[in-house]
Amino acid sequence: MKSPLLTLPGAVPAEGVDEGVAAHYGDLFREQRTLADGTGFVDLSHRGVVTVSGPERLGWLHLLLTQHVSDLPPHQATEALILSANGHIEHALYLVDDGETVWAHVEPGTREALIAYLESMKFFYRVEVADRTADTAVVHLPAGSIAEVPEGVVVRETPYGRDLFLPRGDLEAYAEKTGPAAGILALEALRVEQHRPRLGFETDHRTIPHELGWIGGAVHLQKGCYRGQETVARVQNLGKPPRRLVFLHLDGSEVHLPTPGTEIRLADDGPDGRKVGFVTTSARHFELGPVALALVKRNVPVDARLVAGETAAAQETVVEP
């Protein structure tokens, strides 16, 4: 969906997965500072919105998700994954229950597959799954924001800010009252700084939750069975994940950022050294300079000097080896 906020002054459309909203509004670093200071908002109206209603919604979702949600209190935000039978990450849901309905926003382009899976698992449970993307837009308010939330709007409040499930028809009026607007690139730079993984960016077809540090935050280790739980339990109790998420400080003298998928090598092995990982997200941060998240092999020493493509990189540990 193309956001009406792309008509705001300075708006530059995002590309790729985030197409449909603004990448920035003319000043990337100013927009980052605005969010870091707890002001402004980010238009996330391109994200999918899915609801689950009915008296058995929480118990039913508890059987499908990696998170413990059977007793989820109203208005308490959480996040959860759906795994394949082999434990690989297929979906990430950002949830809140309003007392009658579970609201979730999901990555662009994933809602149809998610809804198809949920519908296939309904059986005789008293639940209703609905695609609310056409009438509901997600808006992000940064942590510390004192912006007004319209009455009746469902809110996910997290340490990183508040996600509003706003009626899509109210988006332009709310933006005018709540500005300034910040683009998706500003939010992505802060996400990288906070070491938070994103489905489709830090994940590929074989990613398991342990590799990204999603254990605890999105995966509950003391809940009942769900698809893929055997892999989660086996890695937790008997082994280590094959890869681990790292945060990279990149050489600031380089003009271009390494793009997602850029190979990472050990600096001491020279230009022909073997690949030990790849960049997943890169960004220019208003304070830290060029930074990135990456997946590397678990046995890469935590103090090893790395090279991302042609760019020198110093790593910080996100997931312990």
Side-chain angles (χ1 to χ4, degrees), residues 72-271:
L72 183 66
H75 313 299
Q76 179 175 305
T78 191
E79 57 188 86
L81 309 176
I82 292 177
L83 308 180
S84 72
N86 294 322
H88 300 137
I89 299 170
E90 292 189 344
H91 294 282
L93 296 82
Y94 299 85
L95 307 164
V96 67
D97 184 85
D98 68 3
E100 297 181 352
T101 300
V102 173
W103 293 75
H105 64 79
V106 299
E107 290 295 335
T110 67
R111 75 181 191 278
E112 291 182 354
L114 171 63
I115 289 172
Y117 172 69
L118 294 177
E119 289 286 355
S120 74
M121 300 301 291
K122 284 172 64 173
F123 303 113
F124 298 107
Y125 287 91
R126 294 177 294 166
V127 296
E128 293 295 331
V129 179
D131 183 352
R132 298 294 303 273
T133 310
D135 59 47
T136 306
V138 180
V139 171
H140 176 78
L141 301 177
S145 172
I146 59 172
E148 179 184 353
V149 176
E151 186 176 355
V153 168
V154 177
V155 179
R156 284 188 74 250
E157 184 147 9
T158 76
Y160 307 105
R162 289 177 288 171
D163 299 331
L164 278 55
F165 293 89
L166 190 73
R168 190 169 288 273
D170 296 344
L171 181 58
E172 290 181 275
Y174 188 74
E176 183 176 353
K177 182 171 59 176
T178 312
I184 191 72
L185 290 182
L187 187 63
E188 283 290 280
L190 299 184
R191 178 181 70 82
V192 171
E193 176 197 12
Q194 294 155 354
H195 306 167
R196 293 189 291 128
R198 183 178 172 189
L199 182 77
F201 288 67
E202 279 60 59
T203 67
D204 57 22
H205 67 283
R206 60 191 180 97
T207 306
I208 61 176
H210 286 82
E211 294 178 320
L212 303 184
W214 250 328
I215 302 300
V219 179
H220 195 288
L221 294 175
Q222 277 76 49
K223 61 159 289 185
C225 294
Y226 54 88
R227 191 175 67 174
Q229 185 194 26
E230 294 84 358
T231 297
V232 171
R234 184 167 61 250
V235 173
Q236 182 69 21
N237 296 323
L238 301 176
K240 295 284 188 178
R243 303 176 297 182
R244 60 185 180 87
L245 186 68
V246 296
F247 175 76
L248 301 178
H249 292 273
L250 302 171
D251 180 1
S253 65
E254 296 289 342
V255 175
H256 300 290
L257 289 172
T259 57
T262 298
E263 293 187 356
I264 293 177
R265 296 172 286 105
L266 297 176
D268 293 343
D269 287 351

Side-chain angles (χ1 to χ4, degrees), residues 269-282:
D269 287 351
D272 297 322
R274 62 186 175 90
K275 175 184 174 182
V276 297
F278 59 93
V279 172
T280 59
T281 305
S282 58

